[in-house]
Amino acid sequence: MNRPAGLTADAASGGDRGTGAPAESFGDRLAEHVARRESQIVLGLDPDPARLWPRAFELAAGSGEGSDPAARAARAVAIHCSLVIAAAGEQCVAVKLQVACFERLGAAGWAALAEVVESARAAGLLVIADAKRGDVDVTAEAYAQAYFGATTTPYGVVPGLDVDALTVSPLLGADSLMPFVRVAREVGGGLFVLARTSNPGAVDVQERPLAEGGSVSERLARLIATLGAGGTGMAGLSDVGAVVGATAPGAVRRMRELMPAAPFLLPGVGAQGGKVEELAAAFSPGRAAGLIAASRGIVFAHEAGAATPEGPESAARREAGRLRELAWSLSG
Amino acid sequence: MNRPAGLTADAASGGDRGTGAPAESFGDRLAEHVARRESQIVLGLDPDPARLWPRAFELAAGSGEGSDPAARAARAVAIHCSLVIAAAGEQCVAVKLQVACFERLGAAGWAALAEVVESARAAGLLVIADAKRGDVDVTAEAYAQAYFGATTTPYGVVPGLDVDALTVSPLLGADSLMPFVRVAREVGGGLFVLARTSNPGAVDVQERPLAEGGSVSERLARLIATLGAGGTGMAGLSDVGAVVGATAPGAVRRMRELMPAAPFLLPGVGAQGGKVEELAAAFSPGRAAGLIAASRGIVFAHEAGAATPEGPESAARREAGRLRELAWSLSG
């Protein structure tokens, strides 16, 4: 009921990617976007309603959402995200929407998430939903409907969010990932499967050595490569990618050896300590093979340094541009 | 904006569990509920809008939700869940809401989820959100706000869903689980952490032997036991439980050895092949230490067997009652 007017069932079932004809593969769509925009930067949006750009609060004040805190906060969050996209989107190839930050605002937050998907798409950006979903097959199918597909009901088809890619968790094994692969592939969508995350806790499970040799992460990498084998496009990139933290350059190199065709989504640059300069291995299959996700480093660039005071918009654009040039020259 | 009237900020911040005074631990609340209701059965609700009880469609037809398919489907889903709770809830101790099934209906689905939480609570049932969330710490905190806590915004506090327990994924390690433990513990909530799932793909990652000895699942079990050590109540049960598939009785025994105080949520009985009779090990610490989740087996009991035709309500009540007696006598 809160779905924004712009999102029709037709668009949501992948209409603008060519309904009827086989969808262009995610790998090719990604390569084309990266080449056209000359950027591998993913703008991470993880809005905290207590810490939005001041202009978002100003604009939200005039939008008349009544007195419900959830509705008002969700309105401000959606406006904030639109402002960030308008400021820094041109320097980026995609947005990564942190679903948790919308989910905590309930139904109003979910409506705001759908709006931000539309804002990003209107700006020509690919949309990655960072949701890290993962469940048994029948449930994975329901999540795939929520993000890539649609749900058939007696009242008509309910479109999903229609994102370009989704992060998923592989802990439940191959059968839990297959519905995601199938539904995403039908519409030219892609997955980024957790392989080696950017947080310190990655050592607790992912880095453990297996009796058969290699680590849990290395086994996940092989699983990801196998799942993606049937979805490699003309550009040589698969539709099953991997989340590989930018905080462990050695792991990035090893993951690339094991997943030569997987696009890597690389979070952890900036606040978490990852450095773009150390990520060359990610790009070895091609420029679009590595996507550098930056969130707080871009959105709060105006709070860093501050020798010369700068507004959030200008600082975000400058920082996204700096990362873009760094990555582009590294991968050239 | 779609939050149902019954869910006030006060109730949602754990008001009825005694705000101010330290919350009673989840383990004690669970033990008390199981003893009072004489049931260890968890009613799984994973509504498919194309396959609801006929009476739900009839009632939804008169509820005037306009023509939006998502709103109409979400209305029917919420009514269906209320009917199932009314029919079978008395035989159960908790409901397990499969979040994916609501998420695929967007904002309207999220509003329906909040309504069903209220329906279940009104029926005296504990509420387990089966969401299998898991992410880096700052994001885990946002998810914890969504399910157990609340989000502070300049417009006021936005309450979370206020569930009693949440399923979470441990793939990202201990630091990714700590925010869930902290926020849940504050309000007397609990976690069920994936340890050994019920699906065939559990062998792909969870069952792999580690070089240090034991399997990945066994390592997860030790992690779960450690996280739960600080949250064991008077009844001897921790607030950090585990999801252990009912489909592998041997794994249930081993998991119980490694997690003597963890409540087990045991999915996989019925459609997936698990048998209540083989789950005695789960109950060794006490009757509330094992919770048997059944979804389709109860909701679609009227479609099974069918020597004597029976309505969905009566069949669901009978099947939930049968499981209840089976588990209760097994654990006595």
Side-chain angles (χ1 to χ4, degrees), chain A residues 8 19 23 64-65 69 78 98 113 117 159 165 173 198 235 241 248 265 280 286 306-307 320 327:
Chain A
T8 66
T19 309
E65 279 285 339
Q98 178 43 259
L113 176 61
V117 169
S198 59
L265 179 62

Side-chain angles (χ1 to χ4, degrees), chain B:
Chain B
M1 57 191 98
N2 287 305
R3 193 165 291 283
L7 186 64
T8 66
D10 198 46
S13 61
D16 57 354
R17 297 172 196 159
T19 309
E24 190 184 0
S25 81
F26 176 73
D28 286 347
R29 294 175 59 229
L30 176 61
E32 183 267 324
H33 268 75
V34 166
R36 186 157 44 80
R37 300 182 72 95
E38 296 189 3
S39 176
Q40 301 125 318
I41 304 302
V42 175
L43 178 59
L45 293 169
D46 43 11
D48 174 353
R51 208 174 163 221
L52 307 175
W53 283 0
R55 181 87 183 121
F57 292 120
E58 291 165 27
L59 291 169
S63 71
E65 277 287 338
S67 62
D68 177 46
R72 294 183 69 194
R75 169 72 14 234
V77 158
I79 293 171
H80 165 85
C81 291
S82 292
L83 292 174
V84 176
I85 289 168
E90 203 174 85
Q91 305 295 326
C92 304
V93 67
V95 293
K96 179 174 83 67
L97 307 178
Q98 179 42 262
V99 176
C101 294
F102 298 87
E103 197 163 309
R104 64 181 162 186
L105 299 178
W110 205 261
L113 176 60
E115 276 186 60
V116 178
V117 169
E118 286 303 290
S119 300
R121 190 181 305 289
L125 295 157
L126 294 173
V127 179
I128 303 169
D130 191 2
K132 299 188 176 65
R133 301 303 192 247
D135 212 310
V136 298
D137 57 359
V138 62
T139 306
E141 174 94 27
Y143 279 125
Q145 291 172 329
Y147 289 93
F148 293 110
T151 306
T152 302
T153 83
Y155 309 105
V157 171
V158 177
L161 270 183
D162 190 30
V163 298
D164 296 289
L166 176 70
T167 59
V168 296
S169 171
L171 182 62
L172 276 74
D175 62 355
S176 74
L177 297 174
M178 285 308 301
F180 286 113
V181 174
R182 186 175 48 72
V183 176
R185 196 164 284 171
E186 278 170 13
V187 296
L191 301 174
F192 292 98
V193 185
L194 300 181
R196 202 291 184 189
T197 56
S198 59
N199 61 315
V203 301
D204 291 336
V205 183
Q206 300 161 37
E207 294 273 284
R208 305 315 296 176
L210 290 169
E212 69 198 40
S215 64
V216 171
S217 280
E218 289 175 9
R219 185 167 177 88
L220 295 176
R222 291 193 176 89
L223 180 65
I224 293 165
T226 303
L227 284 168
T232 304
M234 307 284 284
L237 288 177
S238 172
D239 56 2
V240 183
V243 175
V244 181
T247 48
V252 174
R253 282 191 293 274
R254 180 64 182 139
M255 292 291 105
R256 179 50 79 206
E257 289 170 13
L258 294 169
M259 296 180 281
F264 283 5
L265 179 61
L266 302 150
V269 165
Q272 290 182 61
K275 292 190 176 60
V276 173
E277 304 88 298
E278 296 175 349
L279 302 175
F283 300 105
S284 60
R287 271 184 152 140
L291 298 175
I292 292 171
S295 306
R296 287 162 279 174
I298 292 175
V299 176
F300 296 118
H302 58 293
E303 295 178 1
T308 50
E310 192 178 12
E313 283 87 352
S314 146
R317 187 180 304 117
R318 184 183 42 72
E319 174 62 8
R322 187 187 71 81
L323 291 171
R324 179 173 83 100
E325 285 175 28
L326 204 54
W328 197 255
S329 63
L330 183 72
S331 64

Side-chain angles (χ1 to χ4, degrees), chain A residues 41-291:
Chain A
I41 304 304
V42 175
L43 178 59
L45 294 169
D46 43 11
D48 174 353
R51 207 174 165 221
L52 307 176
W53 284 2
R55 182 85 183 122
F57 291 120
E58 291 165 27
L59 291 169
S63 70
E65 279 285 339
S67 63
D68 177 47
R72 294 184 69 193
R75 168 75 13 236
V77 158
I79 293 171
H80 165 85
C81 291
S82 291
L83 292 173
V84 176
I85 289 169
E90 203 174 85
Q91 305 295 325
C92 304
V93 67
V95 292
K96 179 173 82 67
L97 307 179
Q98 178 43 259
V99 176
C101 294
F102 297 87
E103 197 162 309
R104 65 181 161 186
L105 299 177
W110 205 261
L113 176 61
E115 276 186 60
V116 178
V117 169
E118 286 302 290
S119 301
R121 190 181 306 288
L125 295 158
L126 294 173
V127 179
I128 303 169
D130 192 1
K132 300 189 175 66
R133 301 302 192 247
D135 212 310
V136 298
D137 57 0
V138 62
T139 305
E141 174 94 27
Y143 279 126
Q145 291 173 329
Y147 290 93
F148 293 111
T151 306
T152 302
T153 85
Y155 310 104
V157 171
V158 177
L161 269 183
D162 191 29
V163 298
D164 297 289
L166 176 71
T167 60
V168 296
S169 170
L171 182 63
L172 275 74
D175 62 355
S176 75
L177 297 174
M178 284 309 302
F180 286 113
V181 174
R182 185 175 48 73
V183 176
R185 196 164 284 171
E186 278 170 11
V187 296
L191 301 173
F192 291 98
V193 185
L194 300 180
R196 203 290 183 189
T197 56
S198 59
N199 60 316
V203 302
D204 291 336
V205 183
Q206 301 162 37
E207 295 272 286
R208 307 314 297 176
L210 290 170
E212 69 198 40
S215 65
V216 172
S217 280
E218 289 176 15
R219 183 167 178 89
L220 295 176
R222 292 192 176 90
L223 180 65
I224 292 165
T226 302
L227 284 168
T232 304
M234 307 284 285
L237 288 176
S238 172
D239 55 3
V240 183
V243 176
V244 180
T247 48
V252 175
R253 282 190 293 276
R254 180 62 182 141
M255 292 290 106
R256 180 48 81 205
E257 289 170 12
L258 295 170
M259 296 179 279
F264 282 7
L265 179 62
L266 302 150
V269 165
Q272 291 183 60
K275 291 190 176 59
V276 174
E277 306 86 300
E278 296 175 348
L279 302 175
F283 300 105
S284 61
R287 270 181 153 142
L291 298 175

